[in-house]
Amino acid sequence: MSSIIRLGHNKTTSALLLTTFNMNETPIKGTNWKELRSQVIHAQKLLDDVSTFCIHLMDIHRLIQKYNANQYQDILKKSCNDDVRELTLEEKSSIIELRHALRFLFTLLSSHHESYRRSVQEEAICVHKMHKTLSILISNRYSDSKCRTMAAKILCNCGTCNKKTSSIILNDIRASPTDSEKTFKMLHSLSLQQEEGGVSQQHGYSENIDSPASSWSEMIYSTSIAGDREALSAVAASLHNFIMAIKNMDNDHKVKFDLSMLAADPILTCNLVRHILPKDVIKPKAEMDDDIDRDLSDDATMWISLVLETFSSHGFFACVYKSLGFNSRICSKDEQTPTIITAEQLVLLNCIAESVESYGNSSKDQNPLGSIGIDGEHGLTSTISFLAQLWVNLRKRKIKLTNSKDDSIERYDGEFACLISALNIILDILGTSISCDDDKQISHGSLSSIRMRLGKEISFLNDTVLELGILIDRLGIENRGLKSRELVISKNDQHSIVALVRVIGNLSYRCKENQDLLRNIDVPVPQHEKMDEIMLKKCTVSETSTESLRNGLHVVLSCTSFAYGCFTLREWAIVAIRNLLEGNDANQEEVARLEAQQAIDTPELQKLGVKVKLDKKGKVQVTPSDPHQNNISSK
């Protein structure tokens, strides 16, 4: 999805800038930008060559440079004086002139004729390097809101559908500022450069200091904190369109770009994720109840989601995920899958889950989980394996938090809630990703090999069965004594049980190795006298003594008893059971042999004075618990 942005604008303010410009140069005057824009529109209607208007690009470039330089001087004054001064008539006139010039350039770049538009794009980027001055204007917190929004749209149109200009822009604009650049800009914001000789009161910006270029993270942060969602949308659209433009670049093209430089940059990815929604929609939970069904997204949300999806579809999901975690800057590439979930990582998982669901219901060719591999491995297999191992590790973290009596073990308030949500979302992603029939065309491999890998090389299948066993045991205790239609199951538990059954069933689809594994997985059953204490405290069965064992088949079959309390559970359980038994004689025999093994005396039966027994044929016998009691009368 790449598109040329057409006209429209919004308001706000942003952050940072710096450029070399001779402050003594004669101002540009006399150009009637409104008239030129009218001529461009007329020429476009007649399908005339608009590239002849490129002679004015140098003037626009100088206007932007002058504006950036003046704004830089204003920053120095404001850093020493908090008072906000009113603009002079000359400054207002300069801003109005720049607005008209930018609108002219925007119209010039909006041509429907591809060859004419390409000529303007290459003149602006290859010759005048306008992307540098435009990015500085966008990142400037004091720049005019209309100029900034228009500059963001122009930047987007300068590279959209053009491999050459897109690759130049991506290579020239960093993902985030370097440490030296951040230090340099910090010193200038504190006006320390006046003492060091970096700036002269008479001559302005010194030419012996290289101007630090702006970065994607600065543009995203600046437009977002100012509330300029339209400009943010254009910046995110630029990043997405430029990546898509170079995706299929010929191997012999002179300019190359390493996408991992963006996907693995923690400052860029954090800024993208943190500003995916407008800041005014972030409210306390109590205030969100009335807005729970309201769509809180906007154009910026869509474009940022597309950027994240693009990173993932190119095989960099793990890079993005790790960059959003704790201490991402010091993590090595060989580090094990992280076990602490952050709010940013949870947002990423939600974003990718929506993309995966959309992909499963459409005819899209590009899988959001990857098709272009990295490190010599198929991207889809690598991403699914990473997610499966992530689920296993996060489950261990959940068990640790569940069994701990110390609330301070959480790394931050709400970690456990994020953890539960992340576990369910990962199950949803994997359940959808491996649900396709093998007959569907899937590039670079078969899903059957992925299913086998999750069963044999990773303990994912084993752990999902164990988790399902723990869940149904706890639900059984919580709903003991209730009729089927009276079952009460929380939304989180409903989500968990359906997701677990779904992913287990899909992993077993036409995969005999996983079918056999399900039959051979031992799922402990807690001793009856300790079951209440164990299950209601949500402790792990693995840490308790057991008196009997069941396998994965038994656990999946047991899920059907909770169908009345959980929407769609019955349907998914039937599909899972079919997949477990299809073409597997041993599993079919195992199910055929199933019969009642033991009768359990519940407190409710004891109060009624009855005892349940099983005879050798598996038939139920009800007898008085008191041997001296003659008969049991039924009312």
Side-chain angles (χ1 to χ4, degrees):
M1 177 182 177
S2 299
S3 59
I4 293 293
I5 299 178
R6 308 293 173 188
L7 216 48
H9 35 246
N10 199 0
K11 294 186 178 180
T12 314
T13 43
S14 295
L16 222 355
L17 79 94
L18 209 48
T19 186
T20 54
F21 180 78
N22 185 352
M23 298 296 295
N24 297 322
E25 188 170 354
T26 304
I28 307 161
K29 293 187 181 294
T31 305
N32 191 336
W33 299 108
K34 294 179 69 175
E35 176 61 27
L36 284 174
R37 180 169 175 267
S38 298
Q39 294 177 18
V40 170
I41 294 174
H42 180 71
Q44 288 174 343
K45 290 180 179 179
L46 298 177
L47 299 181
D48 290 342
D49 185 0
V50 296
S51 60
T52 55
F53 290 92
C54 288
I55 58 174
H56 299 285
L57 293 185
M58 172 58 76
D59 290 344
I60 299 175
H61 183 55
R62 290 169 57 198
L63 272 176
I64 300 173
Q65 281 186 316
K66 178 183 177 182
Y67 179 79
N68 288 342
N70 287 336
Q71 288 297 102
Y72 170 67
Q73 293 296 327
D74 201 32
I75 287 177
L76 296 184
K77 295 175 183 177
K78 290 183 179 182
S79 64
C80 301
N81 186 357
D82 293 334
D83 295 334
V84 179
R85 65 178 179 82
E86 186 177 351
L87 294 175
T88 65
L89 290 176
E90 184 179 358
E91 289 172 330
K92 291 180 180 180
S93 177
S94 298
I95 291 174
I96 292 174
E97 182 182 13
L98 180 59
R99 287 180 185 175
H100 289 315
L102 291 176
R103 288 176 70 87
F104 161 76
L105 178 56
F106 180 81
T107 304
L108 194 60
L109 283 163
S110 302
S111 173
H112 292 280
H113 198 292
E114 183 179 354
S115 62
Y116 296 161
R117 186 178 67 249
R118 185 178 297 274
S119 298
V120 179
Q121 288 174 324
E122 294 181 2
E123 178 76 14
I125 301 303
C126 302
V127 178
H128 299 292
K129 305 293 182 183
M130 294 188 69
H131 55 288
K132 294 184 177 181
T133 51
L134 287 169
S135 65
I136 292 171
L137 191 157
I138 298 167
S139 299
N140 179 5
R141 73 174 62 189
Y142 299 114
S143 63
D144 175 69
S145 61
K146 292 184 178 180
C147 290
R148 181 180 52 254
T149 302
M150 191 59 63
K153 294 180 178 181
I154 291 171
L155 178 65
C156 181
N157 285 5
C158 279
T160 298
C161 301
N162 190 320
K163 297 178 181 180
K164 184 176 181 180
T165 57
S166 291
S167 58
I168 292 174
I169 296 172
L170 287 174
N171 277 286
D172 285 350
I173 300 179
R174 293 189 179 93
S176 61
T178 63
D179 291 339
S180 60
E181 287 174 350
K182 286 186 287 186
T183 301
F184 182 84
K185 294 173 184 179
M186 184 180 297
L187 291 174
H188 280 69
S189 68
L190 296 173
S191 297
L192 296 180
Q193 73 286 353
Q194 294 182 8
E195 298 177 4
E196 298 294 332
V199 171
S200 168
Q201 294 289 341
Q202 296 180 349
H203 302 290
Y205 184 71
S206 174
E207 295 183 0
N208 62 357
I209 301 177
D210 293 333
S211 300
S214 185
S215 64
W216 291 108
S217 61
E218 287 175 302
M219 288 189 283
I220 291 167
Y221 177 76
S222 302
T223 54
S224 180
I225 61 169
D228 195 343
R229 300 290 292 180
E230 188 175 6
L232 174 61
S233 175
V235 173
S238 302
L239 191 55
H240 170 267
N241 289 353
F242 300 165
I243 294 172
M244 296 303 295
I246 66 171
K247 185 183 72 168
N248 298 318
M249 183 178 291
D250 298 334
N251 293 330
D252 59 348
H253 199 283
K254 295 182 180 180
V255 183
K256 303 293 182 181
F257 179 73
D258 183 5
L259 186 56
S260 65
M261 298 295 291
L262 295 175
D265 188 278
I267 299 178
L268 174 61
T269 55
C270 281
N271 272 291
L272 285 168
V273 170
R274 289 174 180 174
H275 303 303
I276 196 169
L277 288 174
K279 60 183 180 181
D280 58 342
V281 306
I282 309 300
K283 302 177 181 177
K285 186 177 180 181
E287 299 179 16
M288 289 292 291
D289 293 339
D290 297 336
D291 298 334
I292 193 168
D293 296 326
R294 184 166 63 92
D295 185 8
L296 304 177
S297 62
D298 57 10
D299 286 345
T301 305
M302 179 195 72
W303 283 111
I304 292 176
S305 298
L306 286 173
V307 171
L308 297 174
E309 180 183 335
T310 301
F311 288 156
S312 180
S313 65
H314 282 71
F316 294 105
F317 173 83
C319 291
V320 178
Y321 185 89
K322 291 179 181 179
S323 72
L324 295 170
F326 289 107
N327 299 323
S328 57
R329 279 182 172 269
I330 61 175
C331 291
S332 64
K333 292 183 179 180
D334 299 328
E335 185 186 29
Q336 294 181 350
T337 310
T339 59
I340 307 295
I341 184 78
T342 65
E344 290 82 4
Q345 290 171 331
L346 185 59
V347 172
L348 173 67
L349 288 172
N350 272 289
C351 178
I352 299 303
E354 290 186 10
S355 299
V356 170
E357 188 69 27
S358 175
Y359 170 76
N361 298 327
S362 68
S363 57
K364 291 181 180 179
D365 295 330
Q366 188 71 30
N367 193 312
L369 295 185
S371 58
I372 303 173
I374 55 175
D375 298 331
E377 187 175 29
H378 171 213
L380 179 61
T381 303
S382 176
T383 302
I384 290 180
S385 298
F386 174 82
L387 284 167
Q389 187 61 56
L390 175 63
W391 188 90
V392 171
N393 291 349
L394 291 179
R395 177 177 177 267
K396 294 177 181 177
R397 176 66 178 171
K398 173 199 167 189
I399 292 172
K400 182 177 180 180
L401 292 177
T402 301
N403 293 340
S404 174
K405 298 180 180 179
D406 184 8
D407 294 337
S408 63
I409 194 173
E410 284 193 344
R411 292 288 294 271
Y412 59 90
D413 291 339
E415 181 194 350
F416 188 78
C418 287
L419 195 58
I420 298 300
S421 182
L423 287 170
N424 286 337
I425 293 171
I426 294 173
L427 288 175
D428 290 339
I429 294 174
L430 294 177
T432 302
S433 300
I434 60 176
S435 65
C436 300
D437 194 318
D438 285 342
D439 294 334
K440 181 179 179 180
Q441 293 296 323
I442 300 176
S443 59
H444 304 288
S446 170
L447 281 177
S448 60
S449 62
I450 296 177
R451 296 187 184 108
M452 289 177 59
R453 183 170 186 173
L454 298 189
K456 298 181 68 174
E457 299 181 22
I458 302 174
S459 63
F460 177 70
L461 180 56
N462 181 83
D463 284 17
T464 52
V465 173
L466 294 177
E467 185 69 16
L468 182 59
I470 294 173
L471 180 56
I472 63 173
D473 287 338
R474 176 167 59 79
L475 292 177
I477 294 300
E478 292 175 349
N479 291 277
R480 190 173 59 189
L482 297 178
K483 297 179 181 179
S484 296
R485 296 183 183 275
E486 298 174 345
L487 293 175
V488 179
I489 305 177
S490 68
K491 289 184 178 180
N492 272 338
D493 287 339
Q494 288 186 48
H495 190 170
S496 297
I497 194 170
V498 170
L500 286 165
V501 170
R502 180 190 184 196
V503 78
I504 291 171
N506 288 342
L507 282 173
S508 304
Y509 177 71
R510 297 182 181 178
C511 183
K512 190 174 185 303
E513 290 79 2
N514 288 347
Q515 292 173 342
D516 293 338
L517 182 60
L518 261 290
R519 187 180 67 252
N520 295 321
I521 294 176
D522 292 332
V523 183
V525 179
Q527 290 185 0
H528 174 59
E529 60 270 18
K530 295 184 178 180
M531 188 178 292
D532 285 10
E533 177 183 357
I534 294 169
M535 290 296 122
L536 294 180
K537 288 186 177 181
K538 303 181 183 179
C539 296
T540 58
V541 178
S542 60
E543 296 180 358
T544 66
S545 58
T546 61
E547 62 180 15
S548 62
L549 292 175
R550 57 196 160 162
N551 61 33
L553 292 174
H554 303 150
V555 171
V556 175
L557 288 169
S558 300
C559 293
T560 56
S561 60
F562 299 99
Y564 276 109
C566 184
F567 182 67
T568 73
L569 176 58
R570 178 178 177 274
E571 288 73 16
W572 280 114
I574 291 174
V575 173
I577 293 169
R578 183 204 68 182
N579 291 348
L580 289 168
L581 303 181
E582 184 181 15
N584 194 308
D585 295 336
N587 281 1
Q588 294 173 17
E589 293 175 4
E590 178 78 12
V591 173
R593 289 197 304 268
L594 288 178
E595 60 182 15
Q597 300 291 331
Q598 180 183 5
I600 299 177
D601 290 329
T602 66
E604 289 79 4
L605 293 176
Q606 292 174 6
K607 290 179 181 179
L608 292 174
V610 299
K611 188 175 183 179
V612 180
K613 291 184 178 180
L614 291 176
D615 61 16
K616 295 181 179 180
K617 295 182 179 181
K619 294 183 179 181
V620 178
Q621 294 180 346
V622 181
T623 61
S625 57
D626 184 355
H628 300 291
Q629 186 176 352
N630 294 327
N631 294 307
I632 302 173
S633 60
S634 59
K635 296 183 180 180

